Amino acid sequence: MSEFTLWDIVYNLLLAARWTVLLSLTAFVLGGLVGLLLLMVRTAGNPWGIRLVRGYVELFQGTPLLMQLFIVFFGLPLIGIDVSPWIAATLGLTLFTSAFLTEIWRGCVESVGKGQWEASASLGMNFTQQMRYIVLPQALRIAVPPTVGFSVQVVKGTAVASIIGFVELTKAGTMITNATYAPFTVYGCVAVMYFLICYPLSLFARHLEGKFRHVAR
């Protein structure tokens, strides 16, 4: 057993936790941008666009995130594209996040009354103007709580990236456990750190949900 003090364990896990947070933020931002684009295509009314986005969403919602990461990390090199664990994890989590955010936001857009669409159309607005000035500002109030809530799932999903060699919090915990033979201590610290990252997000999402429900009344 290597001589690791509790502080050594916590310090090294904190260094790895930076990558967990960075990967979560990167995947969430990029996934949000892709999800917004897919939402626009999904709600534009084009039958082929609707089928394409629906297939995309069902593909990434209906398959395990681990399999998606495997396909990106091991599949792309087969066609001559070498990717690092960081790139593979970012790409896999971005695709995963975009599929779920697209559906979350689609539900929020569809909750806006049909009369809002008709009223804006009567003013001569095109689809882009309707979305920008009328629909999205109203859908935003509904979308914020579930979007923040889903960010918790993204943070927890980063743990799967350890399988492809990306050193984040879970992978660092495994490496330290192999060196110290103290799995209870190490993984206990890992669990506490995940809790400290995710619990404030859960509280914030709950607060926003209650706030917007009160405003709606």
Side-chain angles (χ1 to χ4, degrees), residues 118-129:
E118 294 173 347
S120 57
S122 68
L123 295 175
M125 292 185 177
N126 57 33
F127 172 74
T128 303
Q129 292 172 327

Side-chain angles (χ1 to χ4, degrees), residues 1-13 176 180 182 185-186 189:
M1 173 178 174
S2 300
E3 292 298 327
F4 274 69
T5 66
L6 180 60
W7 168 245
D8 291 329
I9 293 173
V10 171
Y11 178 74
N12 283 281
L13 289 176
I176 295 172
T180 62
T185 300
V186 175
C189 292

Side-chain angles (χ1 to χ4, degrees), residues 18-104:
R18 298 179 305 172
W19 290 103
T20 292
V21 173
L22 180 60
L23 179 59
S24 301
L25 288 173
T26 303
F28 194 75
V29 171
L30 294 179
L33 293 175
V34 175
L36 183 60
L37 177 62
L38 293 174
L39 173 68
M40 298 296 286
V41 175
R42 179 72 171 79
T43 56
N46 183 285
W48 286 105
I50 293 174
R51 293 190 187 99
L52 180 64
V53 174
R54 185 182 297 162
Y56 176 93
V57 170
E58 290 178 356
L59 173 65
F60 287 101
Q61 286 189 346
T63 55
L65 176 59
L66 177 60
M67 181 184 297
Q68 296 166 22
L69 291 176
F70 275 157
I71 291 174
V72 173
F73 187 65
F74 295 109
L76 290 181
L78 295 178
I79 59 175
I81 304 175
D82 291 326
V83 292
S84 64
W86 163 255
I87 297 297
T90 300
L91 180 57
L93 279 165
T94 295
L95 297 174
F96 170 82
T97 302
S98 65
F100 280 88
L101 288 181
T102 298
E103 278 301 280
I104 291 172

Side-chain angles (χ1 to χ4, degrees), residues 104-151:
I104 291 172
W105 294 343
R106 180 185 65 83
C108 297
V109 167
E110 291 183 352
S111 69
V112 176
K114 185 179 179 181
Q116 299 291 321
W117 291 91
E118 294 173 347
S120 57
S122 68
L123 295 175
M125 292 185 177
N126 57 33
F127 172 74
T128 303
Q129 292 172 327
Q130 287 177 305
M131 290 292 286
R132 178 179 179 183
Y133 297 111
I134 305 299
V135 178
L136 289 182
Q138 297 181 66
L140 179 63
R141 286 181 172 272
I142 308 170
V144 169
T147 300
V148 175
F150 179 71
S151 66

